[in-house]
Structure formats: structure tokens, C-alpha cells
Amino acid sequence: MPSAKDRFLRYVTIDTQSAYDQDVIPSTKKQFDLAKVLVKELTELGLQDASLDENCYMMATLPANTTNKIPAIGFIAHMIPAGCLRYPCKTQNYPSL
């Protein structure tokens, strides 16, 4: 398994630039390129139900690693459109951070 540093360096080579002038999430189709890599890695790391929806939301669950009856941990992530970090976001119903 590659180190976290090696994975990060691979991630930053993937073009994920978004388009501020778009009113959809994700704002570009190329944002799926990184998301697909991440979903594959989540599966390889043992997370279950790793998936990617049409809006580029990634979801997965990490089951308990004990015989005790405890809930799984859920993970959800998505690509943030350009401009939503600094400007009022153009995407409807998507708050600026």
C-alpha cells in the first residue's frame, strides 16, 4: 500500500478544476476523476458500500472491527465548486463556506 504522502502526491496530479460559472454540482465532469480514485481506494482499505453518485458525492461505511454490537462509521465527501470558499456560491441551495 502506498504511503499517505505518495497517495496525496498522486491526487494533486489529477486535474479537478471546477468552473465557477456553472450552476451544477460537480461543476465539471473531470471532478469525477479524483472521486473515482478515492472510491476505489476506500474499497481497497476495507470500507464497505463505497459508492459515488451522479452529483459526485462519495459514500462508504467502516464496519466495526469487534464482536461487540456497535454501529458502523459512515463517511460522506464531495467536491466543492469553485468560488464557494470565497464568494457567494452560484449553485442553488449550496451555502458559501
Side-chain angles (χ1 to χ4, degrees), residues 1 9-11 17 24 28 34 39 44 55 60 63-64 76-77:
M1 167 99 18
L9 292 174
R10 190 180 68 214
Y11 302 156
Q17 185 174 8
V24 295
T28 62
L34 175 59
V39 167
E44 290 170 355
N55 295 311
I76 301 173

Side-chain angles (χ1 to χ4, degrees), residues 1-80:
M1 167 99 18
S3 69
K5 176 185 170 187
D6 291 338
R7 288 195 311 266
F8 176 77
L9 292 174
R10 190 180 68 214
Y11 302 156
V12 299
T13 65
I14 300 171
D15 182 3
T16 60
Q17 185 174 8
S18 54
Y20 179 65
D21 61 342
Q22 298 299 306
D23 291 331
V24 295
I25 297 174
S27 61
T28 62
K29 294 295 181 190
K30 61 187 173 181
Q31 291 172 299
F32 279 97
D33 296 341
L34 175 59
K36 289 175 185 175
V37 168
L38 295 174
V39 167
K40 181 177 183 285
E41 288 188 5
L42 290 172
T43 301
E44 290 170 355
L45 289 169
L47 278 77
Q48 296 179 348
D49 308 320
S51 64
L52 179 64
D53 75 8
E54 68 277 0
N55 295 311
C56 210
Y57 281 81
M58 298 170 287
M59 295 155 276
T61 56
L62 179 63
N65 61 356
T66 178
T67 56
N68 296 336
K69 194 167 180 120
I70 59 174
I73 298 173
F75 294 92
I76 301 173
H78 67 97
M79 305 296 170
I80 298 175

